[in-house]
Amino acid sequence: MTAHLTITAAGPAMSVQDLGRTGYRAVGLTVGGAADRRALYEGAALLGQSADSAAIEMAGSGGSFVSDADVRFALTGASMAAKLDGEPLVWNASHLLPKGSTLTVGGAQAGTYGYLHIGGGIATPVVMGARSSHLAGGIGKLLATGDVLPIGKDTRKDVSNTLPADPRFSGGVVRMVASAQTADFASETVSRFTSTAFQRDPRGNRMGVRMAMDGDGFAMESGLSIVSEVVVPGDIQIAGDGSPYVLMYECQTTGGYPRIGTVLPCDMPRVAQAQAGAELRFEMLDLQDAIGVQARALNELKALRAAVTPLVRDPAEIRDLLSYQLIGGAVSAQANPFD
Amino acid sequence: MLVTFADKMNEPANRAALAFRAAVDQQEWPDVIETSTSLVSTYLEVNLALTPLQGIVEQLQDLLKSRDWYQAALPNGRSLWHVPTVYGTDLAPQLEEAAALADVDPDTAIRQISSSRVRVLTIGFAPGQPYMGELSETWNIPRQKGLTKAVPPGALVIAIRQIIVFTNAAPTGWRHIGQTAFGTFLPQTPRPFTLAPGDELIFPSVDRASFDQINDSSGLGGADRETIA
């Protein structure tokens, strides 16, 4: 029997996301997929399943969920106030959602995108090779109250695991490399860019995130009439008014605004997760250094599963404490245990 | 990785980019994740954290030297489309503004654009969305400084001697001069991508009443298609 997850209350911007779909760039469709890829790998590590598994991405705040079977789930990304039948849950950990119980996920406390992963993955139909909604491309839609999502077969039972928190939710330094047009900017403009403290503008979504700053913009003289060229997620596009936009995974495939650089894939979660107002700075790396940084980050993702540890529970928070057998392991302090 | 054949749009460079991409695809290099073209470039996606840069650069240089890509022909099996379009009105509020920038009156603008036969130079920005050109030098007008918050699907927009029909509602810096009901991405149909690079289009002017009467069950907004011999 296929298990189902019913959304009994949907937040404003929830969608099914995975690692996206490749192979359609030539016909105008970018890869799309989760805004915070690392969160997908973390959820997969916590549940012991493939990082290809589809999860629910929750921008800003979550919703309420009920299942028609016991299912395992994990919560990663931006921490949100999560409760199981009213009892608080630890974020960045795996838990059991018993049949009929209600999981509620509130507003983001730090960061922007929270993720709800289900053991077996969300099993909505595969469209052109992936399950992710590509809202800008017209594939899929935002999740709504009343939606019922099929769940894939789960082969494991372990829950109550956790991962160390990764600091990427409050801005910081974002590493970049030169893009095809960096050399067309005046070198003073590029150095001013890398020495500016930006704030993540509230204008940000799955297509791109605007950076706000004090002072002049970063316009290039011929900026409004350059030839439209391939753009990729991570590109930092300078719009006509001189303000930078970091393009995200659901960006367009081509664009006519000049790009001052490209954010490394491993630092994209930091851009995606920065809350409005969080301070971000950009650091330019040469290509070889950047390749080294990115290769190390890929190895770190592979090592996530080994970093999973059991969740240590505080007895004061265990609501059914008295049902546990607590004295079965008692030994005498005087007896020699090696006798 | 981007292989660029010109720094501005021109015909031979556009054909070179299309032909070079086809040649890269034929090589079936295992490190190439996907390929595409823009107006004047061929794009290859390679994971540089896993693939040595030097090797892929040498392979590309050898392929580039193997022939004169600027002499490449256009793809076979192209179509010519006639797409009914309302110019101006409240459906397309920036016709007058674009005409003023081109230094022509709105009627002349409609006459010139609706009789221009343009070619799909590349597909991009959104699924199936065509960049078409080139219009006459009159229409070498810049993008606007701010972004229009959203133009609707089917919007005909103009800048730098090119026009685009928007696939989905999206923000843009191009000016909205006409409105069509031409679906360029129809994901629920057997032919989800209506156009291919090299296809040609004409956007004849129709009045609002006939536009409203277009039966849109096909998703093509009353457009006719013929094969280019």
Side-chain angles (χ1 to χ4, degrees):
Chain A
M1 186 198 93
T2 302
H4 297 86
L5 187 72
T6 298
I7 299 172
T8 52
M14 302 196 321
S15 59
V16 173
Q17 295 299 339
D18 55 19
L19 292 171
R21 41 178 79 71
T22 49
Y24 295 97
R25 170 174 280 280
V27 282
L29 188 66
T30 44
V31 59
D36 180 352
R37 302 294 215 240
R38 184 186 166 100
L40 279 192
Y41 283 89
E42 289 173 340
L46 285 167
L47 293 173
Q49 61 192 21
S50 161
D52 289 340
S53 307
I56 296 177
E57 179 175 281
M58 305 172 285
S61 67
S64 300
F65 309 87
V66 174
S67 171
D68 58 4
D70 289 0
V71 295
R72 300 186 308 140
F73 67 97
L75 299 162
T76 69
S79 62
M80 296 172 162
K83 290 178 176 174
L84 182 62
D85 286 340
E87 296 293 325
L89 288 171
V90 178
W91 199 262
N92 226 34
S94 61
H95 307 278
L96 183 73
L97 175 61
K99 175 181 176 177
S101 289
T102 297
L103 167 66
T104 56
V105 180
Q109 294 152 335
T112 297
Y113 294 100
Y115 292 84
L116 168 59
H117 314 262
I118 304 291
I122 301 291
T124 46
V126 172
V127 177
M128 293 159 65
R131 294 190 166 90
S132 49
S133 289
H134 195 301
L135 303 168
I139 297 174
K141 59 179 185 58
L142 289 177
L143 293 171
T145 301
D147 283 353
V148 179
L149 305 174
I151 296 170
K153 186 167 169 48
D154 193 4
T155 55
R156 299 176 61 129
K157 298 215 176 305
D158 54 316
V159 289
S160 299
N161 288 315
T162 188
L163 273 171
D166 172 68
R168 61 178 187 277
F169 301 101
S170 50
V173 175
V174 171
R175 293 160 293 187
M176 63 190 271
V177 290
S179 87
Q181 288 147 352
T182 305
D184 297 339
F185 286 84
S187 61
E188 307 86 76
T189 306
V190 178
S191 54
R192 191 162 54 82
F193 183 83
T194 54
S195 59
T196 296
F198 294 95
Q199 292 82 42
R200 184 199 157 121
D201 193 278
R203 277 167 281 184
N205 55 32
R206 293 179 38 77
M207 295 179 70
V209 176
R210 185 175 189 269
M211 297 293 146
M213 72 277 169
D214 299 327
D216 294 341
F218 298 90
M220 193 173 86
E221 230 165 64
S222 61
L224 292 178
S225 288
I226 65 164
V227 63
S228 282
E229 193 46 276
V230 171
V231 298
V232 298
D235 276 358
I236 307 165
Q237 210 171 41
I238 304 298
D241 64 359
S243 56
Y245 283 79
V246 180
L247 301 182
M248 305 306 289
Y249 291 105
E250 214 169 87
C251 68
Q252 58 273 39
T253 55
T254 55
Y257 292 110
R259 283 150 289 144
I260 201 165
T262 302
V263 173
L264 303 198
C266 59
D267 283 356
M268 289 289 280
R270 193 178 288 276
V271 177
Q273 291 289 12
Q275 276 180 322
E279 185 176 300
L280 290 156
R281 289 173 179 272
F282 293 89
E283 180 191 355
M284 183 77 87
L285 300 187
D286 73 36
L287 187 58
Q288 281 310 324
D289 289 348
I291 287 170
V293 166
Q294 176 63 18
R296 282 195 294 282
L298 288 183
N299 287 333
E300 205 183 306
L301 288 184
K302 280 186 203 150
L304 274 176
R305 198 171 285 207
V308 171
T309 54
L311 195 56
V312 178
R313 301 171 77 190
D314 178 349
E317 291 177 359
I318 302 177
R319 61 180 163 164
D320 50 354
L321 186 64
L322 293 179
S323 71
Y324 283 72
Q325 167 55 279
L326 295 172
I327 56 169
V331 294
S332 163
Q334 271 100 45
N336 182 340
F338 301 108
D339 279 350
Chain B
M1 309 193 68
L2 198 64
V3 180
T4 298
F5 292 92
D7 59 4
K8 282 197 172 63
M9 171 57 207
N10 71 65
E11 284 262 38
N14 180 244
R15 281 186 275 111
L18 291 171
F20 189 67
R21 176 192 176 221
V24 169
D25 284 351
Q26 258 174 16
Q27 304 296 313
E28 295 184 349
W29 289 325
D31 294 328
V32 174
I33 298 164
E34 69 177 312
T35 62
S36 69
T37 54
S38 63
L39 291 169
V40 293
S41 305
T42 302
Y43 170 80
L44 296 81
E45 187 167 326
V46 177
N47 187 341
L48 291 178
L50 304 174
T51 302
L53 176 63
Q54 191 56 32
I56 195 87
V57 168
E58 281 167 14
Q59 284 175 316
L60 283 171
Q61 281 168 342
D62 288 347
L63 189 58
L64 275 169
K65 281 183 222 143
S66 70
R67 60 176 282 200
D68 181 357
W69 298 95
Y70 296 98
Q71 299 297 321
L74 282 167
N76 291 327
R78 297 180 300 128
S79 301
L80 170 64
W81 293 84
H82 299 261
V83 182
T85 305
V86 174
Y87 288 89
T89 79
D90 58 321
L91 289 180
Q94 291 177 297
L95 175 73
E96 282 81 4
E97 196 183 314
L101 281 166
D103 206 15
V104 295
D105 62 69
D107 287 341
T108 307
I110 294 174
R111 203 164 52 243
Q112 287 188 4
I113 295 166
S114 67
S115 62
S116 296
R117 180 164 161 168
V118 289
R119 204 177 79 206
V120 178
L121 303 169
T122 188
I123 304 276
F125 191 86
Q129 182 166 304
Y131 284 64
M132 297 165 284
E134 285 191 293
L135 298 169
S136 68
E137 185 57 35
T138 309
W139 295 101
N140 196 1
I141 62 173
R143 299 172 186 82
Q144 60 194 12
K145 284 205 167 181
L147 291 178
T148 302
K149 206 171 165 198
V151 294
L156 184 70
V157 303
I158 190 165
I160 48 166
R161 298 179 65 187
Q162 292 169 39
I163 51 178
I164 298 172
V165 174
F166 264 66
T167 295
N168 298 312
T172 181
W174 295 41
R175 289 180 175 83
H176 185 188
I177 58 160
Q179 186 62 42
T180 76
F182 188 49
T184 49
F185 178 49
L186 304 168
Q188 308 304 330
T189 69
R191 196 188 151 93
F193 298 97
T194 307
L195 297 169
D199 283 352
E200 299 188 8
L201 297 95
I202 300 171
F203 293 90
S205 173
V206 298
D207 60 30
R208 178 67 186 268
S210 18
F211 182 75
D212 288 342
Q213 278 163 21
I214 291 171
N215 178 349
D216 198 30
S217 60
S218 68
L220 295 173
D224 289 326
R225 176 187 181 198
E226 57 184 283
T227 300
I228 298 175

